[in-house]
Amino acid sequence: MPVSLSIIRGKHEGLTFDLRGESRAVIGRAPQATITLDDTLLSRKHCRIEFTEDAVLLIDLNSTNGTYVNKKRVETEEMSPKDFFQAGSNLFQIQSTPRQAPPSEHSYLCPRCRKEITLEDSDGSEEKACPHCGRPAFPGKEVIGIYEVLEIIGKGSTGLVYKVKDLKTDRTLALKTVRLEGEIDAKTISRYLRVSHTEGRLFHPNIVQVHRTGKANGFFTIAMEYVEGITLYQKICEEERIELKEALSITKQVANALVHASEKGVVHRDVKPENILVAHDLTVKLMDFSIAKRFRPQVEAPVTLAGEGLGTIYYVPPEQIYNAANVDGRADVYALGCTLYHMVTGRPPFKDSKDRGRKKGALIRILAGDYRPIVDYAPAVEGPVADMISKAMAREADRRFQSPSEFLEELEFLSDDSESSA
C-alpha cells in the first residue's frame, strides 16, 4: 500500500513524508530513524510503521511518552488511510498515495475542481472558464506541470529555481528545473533522478525535503520544501563574518544533517555556504544533494565515474579532486570545516585575490593544505576551536574527524564549553 505521512498538528505541522517503496518506517529523534524529528517528547526510536499490501501496522517501540490512537495509548494498532496517531508533540495522519498518471506537459489541474485541463485551452493572457466546472481557471500566470509559478528565487547551472504553488495541494514549494535540451545528457538526468530519490528518503529537520520529481514543459523538475530565509553565503556577504557562537550553532545543525545522511549511506559531496539555508527562525537546512553518492553496496550502477572530480572549489577535499567516486563521510567533514572557516574569517580558506578567478592556484593550495591560519583573520578564534577547524580541514583524510558524528561530538563539547565560560 503506497503511503504518505502528514503532520497535521504540532511543532512540525505541515511536513509530509512520502513513504512509497518503504516496507517500514521508524519515527524518532535518532539520526538513524527513517523520520528524524527534533522533538524532546519523542524517544530516540519512538514508534514504527509497517506496510503490507492492504494494511498499515503502528508499533510503539517502548517509548517513554507513548504512542496514542484516539487518545488511547497503544502498543500495536492496525491503521487505515486517514487515521490519526500521536507521537511526541505531533499529530500524524496516514494517507494513501495511489499511483496516478501525472498531467501531461501540455496540461495542468484546475485549481478549483482539480480536473485536468489542456494548456491549449488558454492563451495565457486572460481568464477563461474551466471546461469542467465553468469557473475561472486561467489567471494568465505561468504554469509548469501542476505548479503555478509565483516568482524566481534562484538560478543554477542547469536551470532556474522557482517559488511555486502546487495546484493539487495548494502548498507553497520550491521548484528546481533542469531544461531537457542542449548539453543535458542522459547521465545528468540519471544522477538527478537517483539522487532526488535518495534525498526524498532523508527525513530530518536540518535537510530540505524533496516532495516529488517529474517532467513537464520540457523540464525535469524537483519539487522541494520552501524555506523562508537566505543562504549562508548571502548571510556571510551581508554580515562579513558570523559571530563564533552563531557559527558553531549553524555548523552543529549541518553536522546533524550529515550524521543523518551518513546513517542512510549518503555522502553529500558539495557542502558549502550556497547549499545551506538559514531560515528566519534560525533553523538551518542543508540542500542540493545533486552530486551526492551512496557509499553502501547497492545493485544500481554507479553514477560517478572513477577519476571524475566533483564539488565546488574552496570546499572540496584533496581526495575528491583525484577521484570523487571513492570518497566517504570524511569529505563532508572537510567541506563543513572549510565552511566554518569561511563563516568566522569572512573568506574561503583557499581563496587568493592573485588568482583572478582562475582555479589552478586554489587547487595547488588545496592539494598542499596551504591556507592562512584562522587567527590571521579572526584573532578571537583560537585554542580548541581553531584546532578543531584545522583537524576537520586536514589534508589527509585519516587525520580528520573520521565521521560527521565524531565532528558533531566535538562541536557539541566546544559549544557547551564556550557557553559555560561566557
Side-chain angles (χ1 to χ4, degrees), residues 34-81:
T34 313
I35 299 174
T36 303
L37 296 171
D38 180 17
D39 183 350
T40 56
L41 296 180
L42 281 176
S43 296
R44 290 182 60 79
K45 291 185 178 180
H46 192 98
C47 61
R48 183 173 71 242
I49 307 172
E50 296 186 354
F51 311 107
T52 66
E53 286 296 321
D54 53 5
V56 179
L57 200 62
L58 176 66
I59 303 169
D60 183 76
L61 300 177
N62 297 316
S63 63
T64 301
N65 294 316
T67 303
Y68 294 81
V69 177
N70 297 325
K71 298 184 179 181
K72 177 184 177 183
R73 187 164 182 166
V74 299
E75 293 183 358
T76 301
E77 186 80 6
E78 185 172 326
M79 308 286 287
S80 300

Side-chain angles (χ1 to χ4, degrees), residues 296-369:
R296 290 178 179 170
Q298 54 182 340
V299 177
E300 301 169 339
V303 179
T304 307
L305 300 178
E308 184 178 22
L310 295 173
T312 302
I313 200 69
Y314 306 131
Y315 311 95
V316 62
E319 68 270 21
Q320 193 166 326
I321 294 172
Y322 288 120
N323 191 339
N326 292 329
V327 299
D328 56 28
R330 295 174 295 181
D332 287 344
V333 167
Y334 180 96
L336 185 54
C338 291
T339 299
L340 178 53
Y341 180 107
H342 190 171
M343 280 192 278
V344 298
T345 66
R347 55 186 296 142
F350 298 99
K351 189 171 185 178
D352 192 315
S353 58
K354 296 178 182 177
D355 293 337
R356 297 181 181 178
R358 295 188 293 268
K359 296 182 179 179
K360 184 177 179 180
L363 288 172
I364 292 172
R365 288 188 289 275
I366 290 169
L367 294 175

Side-chain angles (χ1 to χ4, degrees), residues 4-17 27 35 37 39 68 70 79-96 169 171:
S4 65
L5 196 62
S6 296
I7 298 177
I8 62 171
R9 190 172 70 238
K11 181 178 179 181
H12 301 94
E13 181 177 342
L15 286 181
T16 297
F17 307 98
I27 300 172
I35 299 174
L37 296 171
D39 183 350
Y68 294 81
N70 297 325
M79 308 286 287
S80 300
K82 298 186 179 180
D83 278 353
F84 302 89
F85 68 91
Q86 180 92 25
S89 63
N90 293 297
L91 182 65
F92 296 81
Q93 182 178 31
I94 295 174
Q95 299 174 330
S96 62
T169 65
R171 181 187 300 161

